[in-house]
Amino acid sequence: MPEPEADPEREPETDWQRRRRLAAIFGDVLPDTTRDERDAGSAGEVRKDSASDAWLKAQVPPHHGG
């Protein structure tokens, strides 16, 4: 599919305008920060270990500082 011709009278869009236009079309796919970059309790995030995580942590030998 050929790309549409650019309108010579239209001003080029800024980065924030482009991001806003793409977000309107595709939604906010990726957050600005990843989970490991945020504080543990930020944004109401509650993390609870599953039973398998708890079991795995209980299996750590004492000399590993579990």
Side-chain angles (χ1 to χ4, degrees), residues 1 4-5 7 10 13 21 26 32 36 52 56 58 65-66:
M1 175 186 253
E5 292 183 28
D7 184 1
R10 183 176 173 196
E13 61 186 359
R21 180 176 54 83
F26 298 109
D32 292 334
D36 62 329
S52 61
L56 185 60

Side-chain angles (χ1 to χ4, degrees), residues 24-42:
I25 296 169
F26 298 109
D28 189 15
V29 178
L30 298 174
D32 292 334
T33 59
T34 59
R35 189 177 334 167
D36 62 329
E37 294 175 312
R38 295 185 286 256
D39 291 334
S42 68

